[in-house]
Amino acid sequence: MHLDDIMMANSPGDEDQTDLLTKTKPKTKRPPLYKVMLLNDDFTPMEFVVHVLERFFGLNHAQAFEIMLTVHKKGLAVVGVFSHEIAETKVAQVMDFARRHQHPLQCTMEKEE
């Protein structure tokens, strides 16, 4: 018997190969998303909040102004929904920027339900 004959005898038949093609792939779960929120305080100027929203969340002036008013009136507002890594980065950027400008602005994140 030749080596080629042994290899052929041990290789799977066509029916085995079709089984592999017809098996369903398990559904992959989507990664959780996180809401990034700004919290109201009595010290951070409204203009600063608008600037933060424009700079870190890509909002135009009108959108940023509306969200700033929501934060002011309701105590907080969701400013975006992101993957964990991006949400974490946005929160860190906003908090760092606020501290460097000596404002107590708070930015938090929580898992979206």
Side-chain angles (χ1 to χ4, degrees), residues 36-38 44 47-61 63-64 67 78-82 85-101 103 105-107:
V36 174
M37 297 167 290
L38 285 182
T44 304
E47 299 81 30
F48 184 80
V49 175
V50 170
H51 180 69
V52 162
L53 291 166
E54 291 170 345
R55 179 173 177 161
F56 297 105
F57 298 94
L59 302 176
N60 66 38
H61 189 75
Q63 293 168 321
I67 290 177
V78 174
V79 295
V81 179
F82 308 96
E85 293 77 18
I86 293 173
E88 207 170 47
T89 300
K90 298 267 186 203
V91 168
Q93 288 174 329
V94 170
M95 295 292 287
D96 181 56
F97 190 69
R99 294 305 153 265
R100 283 190 282 126
H101 289 84
H103 295 302
L105 182 64
Q106 293 292 306
C107 185

Side-chain angles (χ1 to χ4, degrees), residues 12-48:
D14 287 342
E15 63 282 344
D16 291 335
Q17 289 175 2
T18 55
D19 283 351
L20 293 175
L21 296 174
T22 57
K23 286 188 177 158
T24 56
K25 235 170 110 178
K27 287 198 171 25
T28 53
K29 212 173 172 187
R30 296 182 79 193
L33 295 174
Y34 291 79
K35 299 183 285 191
V36 174
M37 297 167 290
L38 285 182
L39 308 179
N40 189 45
D41 65 73
D42 294 331
F43 306 102
T44 304
M46 292 180 177
E47 299 81 30
F48 184 80

Side-chain angles (χ1 to χ4, degrees), residues 67-79:
I67 290 177
M68 177 276 297
L69 283 179
T70 302
V71 171
H72 182 69
K73 291 176 186 172
K74 296 191 175 182
L76 67 87
V78 174
V79 295

